[in-house]
Amino acid sequence: MNPNSNSNIAAILNIQCRKGDTFERQFTFTDEDGVAIDLSSYTVVLTVKDAAGSTILTISGGDWSGTPSAGQLTATKSATTMGAVAAGTYNYDLQATVGTSKVTWLAGKFIVDAEVTTA
């Protein structure tokens, strides 16, 4: 019997963006065989937190677009919203919920680079 068990399936993916720019990232979710996951029934939330555990940014609901039936989602936040996020390195995870099942699919660093041009 193996005394070790790991149910953490989250892939590590660091995300880098720039303060004050429109944030837009496309994600494609597939199963272990490379087949697109139909996300039509899923609720997907990406949460960014600082080291103290305070929420810095949440991407949920209307922040997502794309083709859920093909496993494709695009996260978008406005330049105004991203302008309010301080430059720095944060932690994030992306959780998908269907019915009563919740799974963290992605996690990693969420890096916000300082902007140079503020106009």
Side-chain angles (χ1 to χ4, degrees):
M1 173 185 248
N2 183 349
N4 300 311
S5 176
N6 185 357
S7 63
N8 181 3
I9 65 163
I12 303 300
L13 174 70
N14 294 328
I15 298 173
Q16 190 166 1
C17 58
R18 185 163 305 278
K19 176 181 176 63
D21 285 1
T22 301
F23 176 81
E24 186 174 288
R25 289 293 182 281
Q26 182 177 355
F27 300 92
T28 301
F29 297 98
T30 60
D31 65 17
E32 53 277 348
D33 296 322
V35 177
I37 298 170
D38 184 347
L39 302 171
S40 300
S41 300
Y42 284 76
T43 300
V44 178
V45 177
L46 187 151
T47 305
V48 179
K49 293 191 175 191
D50 64 16
S54 297
T55 299
I56 301 302
L57 185 69
T58 301
I59 298 173
S60 63
D63 299 326
W64 294 103
S65 61
T67 310
S69 61
Q72 297 175 344
L73 292 176
T74 300
T76 305
K77 280 294 193 181
S78 71
T80 301
T81 297
M82 294 307 295
V85 177
T89 300
Y90 305 99
N91 295 309
Y92 86 94
D93 67 11
L94 182 146
Q95 292 185 330
T97 303
V98 61
T100 60
S101 177
K102 183 187 295 186
V103 178
T104 301
W105 282 344
L106 294 173
K109 301 295 181 192
F110 193 94
I111 303 159
V112 180
D113 293 328
E115 62 185 335
V116 176
T117 303
T118 59

